[in-house]
Amino acid sequence: PRPTFFGIPFTADEDGFAAVFGLTFSPLYRVIFLYYIILALALLTAFVTVRLRRLPVGRAWEALREDEVACRSLGINTTNTKLTAFAIGAMFGGFAGANAAAAIVAVAERVSPAIVTLEVTTPDGDGIGSGVIYSADGWIVTNKHVVADETSILVHLKDGRDFAGTVYGIDTLTDLAVVKIDATGLPIVPWADSDKLEVGEFVLAVGNPFGLTQTVTLGIVSALGRAAGIAEYEDFIQTDAAINPGNSGGALVDVRGRLIGINTAIYSRS
């Protein structure tokens, strides 16, 4: 029987090039024909890729790729990390509760060592706040109001070590301050681009409320660009993650363990 291609009869010449619909091609036209076939496939691939990126599955895949980069920066094994499982779960089954919980645990474990307790002495008494190590050689970011008017700062690390801290810079406009300790090889929280943050994203707040060190709470981004009337320049991230006195200066991180904000203020009737 005569061979067919999806029901269409075809033959092959001595070079093995098929003649479909009874048509044959010279060597030059064969090259041109193959060129247009390859071009059409490339355009189709590009079109499908662009369309997929606009769909939830495409956004989840991009998140998965970003997760792998973030995991490596945090020292998490990307071969079996729960963060990767979380992204896959989000792609195929919504939140996939078990994977999401494991992802949050993984982030908390990696971020907590970089959150410090600041014991601050001022002429009016002692106070406690939080800080975030952002550079392995001892640079810490916190709130200006945590270290304002300090006479001494004692920085407590999660591993039990204590260091004297020195205020190196204060930004009154944003209520931020930078503190330095004499240490190296410290765990850090990598920066994220907060401009890419979206309302509804899950976030974790890590700090030392009421002196309860390494407290982690979970919430979402409730709103962006908030003004609270407490600083000259305000572009606050509103979250429903529990924040209490002592959390000031602590970290607000995304589910990839990246720093998106510094916990600064609370609104509460209690």
Side-chain angles (χ1 to χ4, degrees):
R2 190 177 182 183
T4 61
F5 180 75
F6 289 98
I8 302 172
F10 77 95
T11 58
D13 60 16
E14 64 276 5
D15 295 328
F17 194 87
V20 186
F21 299 107
L23 300 176
T24 58
F25 301 92
S26 68
L28 175 61
Y29 285 114
R30 295 178 186 182
V31 173
I32 296 174
F33 177 76
L34 289 175
Y35 169 79
Y36 280 109
I37 290 293
I38 294 172
L39 179 61
L41 290 174
L43 291 174
L44 178 63
T45 301
F47 174 77
V48 171
T49 300
V50 171
R51 295 294 297 177
L52 282 176
R53 285 181 176 176
R54 296 177 181 177
L55 297 175
V57 64
R59 292 196 296 269
W61 181 255
E62 289 296 322
L64 175 59
R65 294 175 59 189
E66 293 179 6
D67 285 344
E68 289 188 289
V69 175
C71 286
R72 290 167 186 163
S73 69
L74 290 169
I76 303 175
N77 181 4
T78 57
T79 302
N80 57 7
T81 176
K82 298 300 183 182
L83 284 176
T84 301
F86 165 66
I88 294 174
M91 187 188 306
F92 293 108
F95 202 72
N99 289 332
I104 292 168
V105 170
V107 170
E109 288 177 348
R110 295 294 174 173
V111 170
S112 292
I115 309 304
V116 301
T117 302
L118 301 179
E119 186 177 340
V120 182
T121 300
T122 71
D124 297 325
D126 298 337
I128 290 180
S130 306
V132 184
I133 304 173
Y134 67 89
S135 177
D137 53 354
W139 292 98
I140 300 167
V141 61
T142 185
N143 283 131
K144 174 245 182 184
H145 72 259
V146 171
V147 297
D149 303 321
E150 54 82 23
T151 57
S152 68
I153 301 175
L154 187 60
V155 180
H156 303 284
L157 304 189
K158 183 179 181 180
D159 62 14
R161 290 182 293 169
D162 298 331
F163 294 90
T166 303
V167 177
Y168 263 73
I170 286 179
D171 185 2
T172 303
L173 295 179
T174 58
D175 190 26
L176 292 175
V178 174
V179 175
K180 180 71 169 63
I181 61 175
D182 188 14
T184 58
L186 299 176
I188 68 167
V189 180
W191 297 98
D193 185 355
S194 59
D195 288 340
K196 296 181 179 179
L197 200 60
E198 295 182 295
V199 173
E201 287 190 40
F202 283 89
V203 292
L204 284 77
V206 190
N208 309 298
F210 305 112
L212 302 173
T213 60
Q214 308 300 320
T215 297
V216 179
T217 57
L218 173 68
I220 64 169
V221 175
S222 303
L224 297 169
R226 288 295 196 203
I230 60 175
E232 294 186 50
Y233 175 80
E234 297 185 327
D235 187 17
F236 287 112
I237 301 167
Q238 179 184 339
T239 178
D240 65 352
I243 296 174
N244 291 288
N247 268 117
S248 289
L252 188 69
V253 301
D254 61 17
V255 291
R256 299 179 184 91
R258 302 175 302 182
L259 186 64
I260 57 175
I262 299 298
N263 300 322
T264 301
I266 61 174
Y267 271 138
S268 175
R269 295 181 182 274
S270 60

